[in-house]
Amino acid sequence: MYLLDIKNISKSFGDLQVLKDISLSVEESEVISILGPSGSGKSTLLRCMSMLEKIDGGSLTYCGETAVSSESGTPVYANKKKLKEIQGYFGLVFQNFNLFPHYSLIKNVTDAPIHVQKRGKKEVMQEGQALLEQMGLGDKADYYPYQLSGGQQQRAAIARALAMKPKMLFFDEPTSALDPELTAEILKVLKELAKEKMTMVIVTHEIDFARSVSDRVIFMDGGLIVEQGKPEDVIDNPKNERTKAFLRKMQAE
């Protein structure tokens, strides 16, 4: 059984079709990197997968449970209670961290497990502290986001996502707001998570990172999956002309 199975997803904004008939399955412990030029639909795909955007066509299944069905031709979303349950299967990490500025780090990490998942406060606080330690932020539990560097804020955002015990994590350009030194910090954390067999879907422009950490690389262009496969195939020996052109441009920069 796939952790995530999407079939024939389409999405338009007005007259602009951003996703065209995309199908994709994610297996447990798999790390998938999504590459592609700006405007290729990468982030929109991630937002549709995580139900931040509503799809115009297609279906979406998590762990065998249907979030969106399209038997009638139009997508039908599951009821509110079911969707809330399904949303517990995944965590999201954005490029802009999205931490609550008025909460300390430990409160940022533990608030949702206590109030949304209704888990015991003592246990959650211990787990939250352990996650901050894991992210190299053990001594920063009482700090507020403004007191931290961008890299530290992003590591706190990853700890917050992990605190919900998701089955998979989505990352939308997790290093694009960071300078090279801080980028290296975050990529190290993601590599550690990959070693621990965390299922991840990562929209990224870091080609070397995608090569070293991914089980599968997907290249998107013009709202389509143009090419996908093992990193050594897609990155080192691409077959599609669009993939070749994109990689040449990235390597020239």
Side-chain angles (χ1 to χ4, degrees):
M1 183 179 66
Y2 295 118
L3 277 195
L4 170 61
D5 193 17
I6 64 177
K7 288 199 170 85
N8 311 112
I9 281 190
S10 59
K11 174 70 184 171
S12 296
F13 295 106
D15 294 335
L16 180 66
Q17 191 174 7
V18 183
L19 298 177
K20 303 167 184 172
D21 196 30
I22 286 197
S23 297
L24 173 67
S25 302
V26 182
E27 293 185 16
E28 194 166 356
S29 305
E30 196 174 17
V31 178
I32 295 177
S33 291
I34 304 178
L35 305 174
S38 292
S40 58
K42 308 182 300 290
S43 291
T44 302
L45 176 60
L46 205 66
R47 291 177 71 81
C48 288
M49 284 179 184
S50 55
M51 295 183 277
L52 289 173
E53 294 284 357
K54 284 204 159 182
I55 59 176
D56 300 328
S59 64
L60 192 56
T61 307
Y62 274 95
C63 304
E65 296 187 48
T66 303
V68 190
S69 68
S70 62
E71 281 145 35
S72 59
T74 359
V76 178
Y77 279 74
N79 63 45
K80 224 174 181 175
K81 186 178 176 219
K82 186 62 161 172
L83 282 181
K84 197 169 180 188
E85 190 186 308
I86 289 171
Q87 282 164 335
Y89 291 143
F90 58 83
L92 279 162
V93 180
F94 302 92
Q95 52 187 340
N96 300 325
F97 329 131
N98 286 21
L99 295 169
F100 293 115
H102 54 295
Y103 283 3
S104 66
L105 277 206
I106 192 72
K107 188 165 169 57
N108 261 292
V109 169
T110 58
D111 194 62
I114 292 168
H115 295 109
V116 177
Q117 294 180 329
K118 311 288 186 210
R119 283 159 49 201
K121 187 173 179 182
K122 189 179 173 192
E123 173 205 359
V124 170
M125 292 299 280
Q126 283 173 341
E127 285 175 9
Q129 185 60 41
L131 281 167
L132 289 177
E133 304 276 351
Q134 187 187 336
M135 295 294 147
L137 297 167
D139 58 342
K140 304 276 192 291
D142 297 325
Y143 281 50
Y144 285 81
Y146 77 90
Q147 297 172 295
L148 303 172
S149 71
Q152 289 171 325
Q153 288 187 60
Q154 191 59 295
R155 281 183 277 148
I158 295 170
R160 180 180 61 181
L162 288 168
M164 299 291 279
K165 301 190 183 235
K167 292 182 183 294
M168 65 189 297
L169 285 178
F170 292 130
F171 293 87
D172 187 10
E173 298 272 13
T175 59
S176 69
L178 305 175
D179 66 33
E181 194 181 329
L182 299 178
T183 291
E185 284 179 23
I186 300 306
L187 298 183
K188 186 168 172 248
V189 169
L190 296 187
K191 282 180 180 173
E192 289 299 321
L193 290 174
K195 267 190 211 157
E196 290 166 19
K197 301 291 182 205
M198 185 75 205
T199 309
M200 294 186 278
V201 178
I202 307 163
V203 168
T204 183
H205 56 276
E206 300 284 341
I207 307 286
D208 290 339
F209 167 73
R211 184 194 283 111
S212 66
V213 82
S214 313
D215 298 300
R216 185 158 37 122
V217 170
I218 288 170
F219 175 71
M220 286 184 70
D221 196 12
L224 297 164
I225 291 177
V226 173
E227 192 164 353
Q228 64 175 307
K230 291 182 173 161
E232 55 269 29
D233 296 332
V234 176
I235 295 174
D236 300 326
N237 298 293
K239 298 195 173 37
N240 187 284
E241 284 308 318
R242 282 195 275 182
T243 319
K244 288 177 187 174
F246 170 74
L247 290 166
R248 269 199 304 271
K249 183 169 176 278
M250 291 298 283
Q251 277 146 6
E253 288 171 9

